[in-house]
């Protein structure tokens, strides 16, 4: 199973989701993250995201931001988007219906949050990053349960 987590810049939400998901699934799963923009390409995650993950014994400090590529649609089985704008952007890049079927809103994994978005903590403080971590943790649990059941 190959899972891609996607947010806007690939420095806050999707790196956290990647790190969290890696702790929940078997080692033979491939988990990665990307962004819809290339503004931060090659950069490490936001320092606040790295610290928040570290507070939960997860190391995301070696991740590097990258944009979504055409090959991602063939490589990955599931592509989880953090908000509606990201979802719409990723869907617009898909080349066919088979690729579009792989793209999901991350929060759809939690049945009671079908259309909810993972808020972008970039302009916030450490509490916002912690709140996002908790939301991503719940979502990753739900995704794991759906995939492994």
């Amino acid at each position: 199973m190959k899972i891609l987590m996607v947010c806007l810049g690939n420095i806050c939400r999707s790196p956290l989701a990647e790190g969290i998901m890696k702790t929940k699934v078997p080692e033979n799963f491939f988990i990665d993250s990307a962004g819809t923009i290339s503004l931060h390409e090659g950069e490490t995650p936001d320092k606040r995201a790295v610290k928040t993950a570290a507070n939960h014994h997860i190391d995301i400090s070696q991740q590097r931001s990258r944009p979504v590529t055409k090959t991602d649609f063939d490589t990955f089985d599931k592509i989880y988007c953090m908000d509606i704008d990201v979802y719409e952007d990723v869907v617009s890049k898909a080349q066919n219906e088979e690729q579009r079927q792989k793209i999901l809103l991350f929060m759809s994994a939690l049945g009671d949050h079908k259309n909810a978005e993972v808020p972008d903590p970039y302009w916030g403080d450490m509490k916002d990053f912690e709140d996002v971590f908790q939301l991503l943790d719940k979502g990753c649990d739900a995704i794991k349960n759906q995939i492994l059941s």
Side-chain angles (χ1 to χ4, degrees), residues 14 28 30 50 69 72 74 89 99 104 109 115 119 123:
S14 56
N28 64 329
F30 179 68
V50 172
T69 64
D72 288 334
D74 293 321
D89 195 6
Q99 290 180 349
L104 303 156
N115 294 312
W123 299 106

Side-chain angles (χ1 to χ4, degrees), residues 25-95:
V25 296
E27 285 186 19
N28 64 329
F29 278 53
F30 179 68
I31 314 296
D32 197 7
S33 62
T36 56
I37 61 172
S38 58
L39 178 67
H40 302 286
E41 188 170 359
E43 294 178 19
T44 57
D46 185 287
K47 291 176 185 167
R48 297 164 297 173
V50 172
K51 182 167 177 39
T52 300
N55 289 344
H56 295 276
H57 312 289
I58 299 172
D59 182 7
I60 65 169
S61 64
Q62 299 307 305
Q63 292 181 24
R64 293 288 180 269
S65 175
R66 71 172 186 86
V68 172
T69 64
K70 286 182 181 181
T71 59
D72 288 334
F73 294 97
D74 293 321
T75 302
F76 291 93
D77 302 302
K78 302 278 186 187
I79 300 172
Y80 289 97
C81 300
M82 297 296 142
D83 63 45
I84 304 246
D85 289 340
V86 168
Y87 173 84
E88 289 174 350
D89 195 6
V90 174
V91 166
S92 75
K93 295 175 192 222
Q95 296 178 35

Side-chain angles (χ1 to χ4, degrees), residues 2 13 106 109:
K2 295 177 181 152
R13 295 170 291 177
F106 180 87

Side-chain angles (χ1 to χ4, degrees), residues 93-112:
K93 295 175 192 222
Q95 296 178 35
N96 56 51
E97 187 57 28
E98 181 182 343
Q99 290 180 349
R100 280 188 282 282
Q101 291 299 316
K102 297 178 179 187
I103 307 164
L104 303 156
L105 201 53
F106 180 87
M107 291 302 292
S108 68
L110 296 168
D112 59 337

